[in-house]
Amino acid sequence: MSDSTTPVIVGIAQVEQRTKDLHNAKEPIDLMLDATRAAAIDTGNPSIIKRVRSVRVSQGQWQYGNPAKYLAEELGLNGVETGKTVFGGNGVQTTVNLSCQDIQNGKFDVIALTGAECGYSQANARRSGQTLSWRELPGTPDWTIKYGIGVRDPLETERGIGGASQMYAVIENAIRYDRGETIPEHQVLVSELWSRFNDVAQHNPNAWLKHDISAEEIRTQGPNNRPIAFPYPKLLNANNNVDQGAALLLCSVSVAKKLEIPTSKWIYPWVGTDGHDTQTVSYRAKFTRAPGLRKVAETALELAELNLSDIAHFDLYSCFPSAVQVAAKEIGLDLEQQLTVTGGLTFGGGPLNNYVMHAIARSVELLREQPDNIGMVTGNGGILTKHAHGIYSSTPPSKPFAHRDVQTQVDTSEDRVTEANPTEPVQVEGYTVIYDREAPMRGVAACLTPDGKRTWGNTTNRDLMVEMQTREFCGRNVHIDSNGAMSPVN
């Protein structure tokens, strides 16, 4: 490899819309187009857009078949490769990792990445009873950027444990029990963590929620902060109701020089790593650990020949507080230090699968302002399942961009199996109470049998659901009948 094929990020953009006029609102593909054009302008030489040879789109909550083909046509590009990721918050960083390799290997010399969501418009449409008429953009991309997909154990579905907000809440309660904190103590700790994320959002020009929100407001339930899944009210959840898009332009150093893009714009990806934890959450040794995440982070630092103290800017994927706490512990970071550059998915926005593109764009801004600093961005897909990390700097790396998939090194020796119908009492290790608007709907608990298998129980008993939110339920013994209904032993 020669220095001329070194990959570098030269253009970034973030866009948003906040209109309630749905007849004139842009749809996600329009935001992607706006962001890609803006990223070209950001380079200082917009003609770079004509040199793009691959357009890669982050999959979103839309039904476009081949959005990259439409973008290429609108940008006047012919014969370019089109790509799209599958679902997962790790997808953007994984795609950056692959794109850097493609540039370094000479496959392409300019690559565009983009993605967008219009959850704000979708929410307004639901509330007003309107239908959004978005384009279909049929077709199949040349390349589907695939990575590990989380697999659910049938018992999870059967016993009523559903989406991410519920599973991350189960993990949150397990974290509290592991640390020996009371419910009130833990609510304060988590809300203060999220308040610090809000502090960062107030200084991020592209954050969705930029006003000050105190820790007390974050943890206090109310009309604008309804309970979702104990212990999480709305302000402790990712915010999907945003209309935001972003784009990145990567090229070789050779192209950057030829186009006379100022070196002050250049940010070098140093390394990228990928790996995943046990695909099925129920099979994991412990909810509060993520050995795959730990290995992905350790390897990134090893490849870059860095210590944690060398990193000035961290962005930990922050869909829920439990994801941040587990990641910080595995990486070796203190919860008191700054762990986001955007404000996270609650306050920064950066919706769903495309959040990491916003995190990278914001990191690029900070690294341009502070030459010689180093940033680390982490992506997380599934339920702490799929991990992709990247390290960036305005300083050229001392060696070629390095990528490693660490999957073969992830320790799964202590993985568990599930048991649907335990005959003896089991011990609760994590749980949540799921809400339907204002009222508790169902309590669910992950439990361990005496021989170490994992099972799930549930309840619709109102008194028990109240007790689960006011008295520590982890560590308690429960009976689970053949239908999954649980009742405390003590």
Side-chain angles (χ1 to χ4, degrees):
M1 186 212 82
S2 67
D3 176 68
S4 64
T5 59
T6 297
V8 62
I9 297 174
V10 293
I12 58 164
Q14 298 184 71
V15 298
E16 67 174 43
Q17 68 175 357
R18 296 176 185 259
T19 181
K20 293 186 178 180
D21 179 4
L22 298 179
H23 294 293
N24 294 308
K26 295 181 178 182
E27 61 180 277
I29 193 67
D30 299 320
L31 295 186
M32 293 184 219
L33 186 59
D34 288 350
T36 306
R37 285 172 169 158
I41 293 170
D42 176 67
T43 68
N45 188 343
S47 69
I48 189 175
I49 204 70
K50 299 303 180 184
R51 300 191 59 135
V52 170
R53 304 314 304 155
S54 180
V55 179
R56 301 172 177 187
V57 172
S58 174
Q59 176 68 56
Q61 294 279 68
W62 31 254
Q63 301 302 315
Y64 305 140
N66 190 0
K69 180 175 183 291
Y70 175 85
L71 294 171
E73 291 171 349
E74 290 296 306
L75 294 167
L77 304 175
N78 296 313
V80 302
E81 179 203 63
T82 59
K84 186 171 69 171
T85 72
V86 294
F87 277 101
N90 58 310
V92 169
Q93 182 60 56
T94 294
T95 306
V96 170
N97 293 345
L98 295 170
S99 298
C100 287
Q101 293 177 80
D102 284 345
I103 290 172
Q104 187 162 271
N105 295 334
K107 183 177 180 181
F108 302 112
D109 56 13
V110 183
I111 298 174
L113 279 65
T114 188
E117 296 284 5
C118 287
Y120 181 71
S121 292
Q122 289 173 312
N124 286 331
R126 284 193 299 270
R127 283 192 289 266
S128 61
Q130 299 182 63
T131 300
L132 295 173
S133 298
W134 288 353
R135 284 158 281 189
E136 295 184 0
L137 307 180
T140 303
D142 299 320
W143 181 35
T144 300
I145 304 158
K146 296 182 177 179
Y147 29 79
I149 303 296
V151 180
R152 297 191 65 185
D153 186 283
L155 190 60
E156 296 169 16
T157 304
E158 178 188 318
R159 299 289 162 85
I161 187 69
S165 61
Q166 300 168 20
M167 193 68 86
Y168 278 107
V170 170
I171 295 171
E172 188 68 62
N173 287 310
I175 290 170
R176 180 190 64 242
Y177 182 68
D178 268 12
R179 293 205 298 238
E181 297 158 357
T182 66
I183 290 175
E185 287 171 345
H186 188 72
Q187 287 174 323
V188 169
L189 184 149
V190 170
S191 63
E192 288 180 345
L193 170 65
W194 239 226
S195 178
R196 291 192 290 276
F197 274 57
N198 173 252
D199 291 342
V200 174
Q202 292 174 58
H203 300 283
N204 173 12
N206 292 291
W208 189 260
L209 298 177
K210 290 193 278 280
H211 62 281
D212 181 51
I213 306 176
S214 70
E216 185 174 1
E217 291 175 278
I218 290 169
R219 65 178 176 263
T220 303
Q221 297 177 11
N224 296 318
N225 195 30
R226 64 182 179 87
I228 303 293
F230 176 77
Y232 292 154
K234 186 177 179 180
L235 284 171
L236 287 171
N237 282 252
N239 181 8
N240 295 333
N241 292 345
V242 300
D243 285 9
Q244 291 179 308
L248 309 174
L249 284 176
L250 290 83
C251 70
S252 64
V253 162
S254 176
V255 167
K257 289 179 177 178
K258 187 176 297 184
L259 296 179
E260 298 182 337
I261 296 172
T263 55
S264 60
K265 296 281 188 179
W266 299 10
I267 297 298
Y268 296 88
W270 280 18
V271 304
T273 49
D274 290 89
H276 61 78
D277 276 289
T278 304
Q279 300 282 26
T280 303
V281 177
S282 286
Y283 302 166
R284 293 184 190 165
K286 194 164 185 171
F287 287 151
T288 57
R289 300 305 305 269
L293 189 160
R294 181 175 67 252
K295 193 63 184 177
V296 166
E298 287 176 352
T299 303
L301 292 168
E302 175 189 328
L303 291 174
E305 298 180 348
L306 295 171
N307 298 312
L308 283 175
S309 58
D310 297 317
I311 309 294
H313 306 288
F314 289 96
D315 194 85
L316 302 192
Y317 193 88
S318 49
C319 47
F320 299 91
S322 57
V324 171
Q325 291 167 89
V326 172
K329 182 177 181 180
E330 296 292 12
I331 296 171
L333 299 172
D334 191 316
L335 292 178
E336 297 290 332
Q337 70 186 94
Q338 187 167 305
L339 300 175
T340 180
V341 298
T342 68
L345 277 85
T346 300
F347 309 108
L352 296 169
N353 301 309
N354 205 47
Y355 168 77
V356 169
M357 199 172 297
H358 292 264
I360 294 173
R362 181 59 179 154
S363 295
V364 167
E365 291 176 342
L366 295 172
L367 293 171
R368 285 173 174 175
E369 293 169 2
Q370 302 164 27
D372 302 325
N373 276 357
I374 299 172
M376 182 175 186
V377 174
T378 76
N380 161 32
I383 312 298
L384 280 168
T385 306
K386 301 166 282 185
H387 312 292
H389 294 184
I391 292 178
Y392 301 87
S393 180
S394 60
T395 302
S398 60
K399 53 187 179 180
F401 172 82
H403 173 262
R404 186 175 298 169
D405 187 313
V406 305
Q407 198 52 47
T408 58
Q409 302 170 54
V410 177
D411 182 12
T412 58
S413 61
E414 296 182 5
D415 283 358
R416 301 182 186 274
V417 297
T418 54
E419 170 61 62
N421 298 302
T423 57
E424 300 178 74
V426 295
Q427 187 176 73
V428 176
E429 64 169 333
Y431 69 95
T432 188
V433 176
I434 302 161
Y435 276 73
D436 179 12
R437 302 308 296 182
E438 301 302 324
M441 179 176 63
R442 181 174 61 256
V444 295
C447 309
L448 295 178
T449 65
D451 59 352
K453 296 177 182 177
R454 184 170 281 118
T455 192
W456 291 88
N458 57 41
T459 183
T460 56
N461 182 290
R462 293 288 174 137
D463 291 338
L464 182 54
M465 287 191 286
V466 169
E467 184 179 351
M468 291 168 74
Q469 297 173 82
T470 55
R471 176 187 170 192
E472 182 60 75
F473 202 61
C474 289
R476 295 185 66 180
N477 293 323
V478 297
H479 282 297
I480 297 179
D481 68 20
S482 58
N483 296 315
M486 62 182 176
S487 55
V489 174
N490 51 16

